[in-house]
Amino acid sequence: MGAGEGRAYRGVSAGDRTAARRAALLEAALDLLGGDPPAAATMTAVCERAGLTERYFYESFRSRDELLVALLDQVAGEVLSATVAVLDEEGGADVLVRRGLEALVAVLGGDPRKGRFALVTSLEVPVLRERRAVLLTDFEHLLAERTRRLYGDRAWVAPDDRIEALLFVGGLAELLAAWLAGTVPATREQVVAAAARHYEATAHR
């Protein structure tokens, strides 16, 4: 370890400073990718937006692609945490489903940059498109498992459980992308209500 490495500076440890710089780079990338074309989010542009030199970019990421994948994973993680936290609570299936959808939409609609990046921009960049497909499959598996918990013997069994989950996850992603783009003129409450009605009508026998 070189001189000065690992030491606290103004009460902040080296690890915390590194984490803060990484977070700043991710936030800068979200700023750029939440509105501008993907090509605008170059490594140089991200560093400039974050107020950091390229040296600090390579401290956390080996490439622009790695940064973009990390950002998509971060947004997906926020959606997953918010949704699962609700579904783990006590309550009837209809109540938990609606509240889970409210939590999901709150993440992606509360900060439209996140929704546009995760649902629209992710389709325009090859490395993100691949990662998006993996994440949607993860959500589809989670939904199928949670549906079995919610509806028990009434839930669909394999392979219909995964088919229904995939249809719902894919359709919800398209709905939210259109809503965020303004092509579906609806309130957040209307979007949640429509998604809940669809899920409740198709998730079980």
Side-chain angles (χ1 to χ4, degrees):
M1 181 178 291
E5 286 189 46
R7 293 181 183 175
Y9 176 73
R10 294 182 177 177
V12 182
S13 71
D16 286 344
R17 293 198 302 276
T18 298
R21 289 190 289 265
R22 185 180 190 278
L25 290 166
L26 289 167
E27 184 70 15
L30 185 60
D31 273 346
L32 292 168
L33 290 162
D36 295 331
T42 63
M43 181 183 68
T44 300
V46 170
C47 289
E48 288 178 353
R49 181 66 64 94
L52 297 168
T53 65
E54 292 183 6
R55 164 198 169 193
Y56 290 118
F57 181 94
Y58 288 112
E59 174 185 58
S60 294
F61 305 103
R62 291 172 294 181
S63 65
R64 174 181 179 267
D65 281 356
E66 187 174 282
L67 165 67
L68 299 186
V69 170
L71 180 58
L72 186 58
D73 284 349
Q74 177 176 288
V75 175
E78 290 179 32
V79 171
L80 181 64
S81 295
T83 306
V84 169
V86 171
L87 294 179
D88 281 343
E89 296 175 359
E90 296 293 328
D94 56 341
V95 173
L96 292 179
V97 166
R98 200 162 290 248
R99 289 182 59 195
L101 286 166
E102 287 171 352
L104 182 152
V105 175
V107 173
L108 297 178
D111 185 344
R113 298 175 306 164
K114 295 178 181 178
R116 286 193 294 268
F117 170 68
L119 300 173
V120 180
T121 306
S122 62
L123 288 172
E124 301 173 9
V125 181
V127 68
L128 290 180
R129 192 160 56 243
E130 293 174 10
R131 185 60 182 158
R132 182 183 192 269
V134 171
L135 291 170
L136 284 179
T137 299
D138 289 344
F139 277 104
E140 171 244 311
H141 281 286
L142 173 68
L143 182 62
E145 185 271 330
R146 291 294 167 145
T147 298
R148 288 191 291 273
R149 288 196 197 182
L150 289 171
Y151 293 105
D153 292 341
R154 296 171 61 204
W156 292 107
V157 296
D160 293 310
D161 57 344
R162 289 192 56 196
I163 291 172
E164 295 294 345
L166 184 56
L167 283 169
F168 180 76
V169 169
L172 180 61
E174 290 297 321
L175 169 61
L176 292 175
W179 175 61
L180 289 168
T183 57
V184 173
T187 65
R188 183 184 300 189
E189 291 73 21
Q190 288 172 321
V191 168
V192 169
R197 285 196 302 271
H198 179 78
Y199 176 78
E200 291 160 4
T202 61
H204 58 82
R205 293 172 282 185

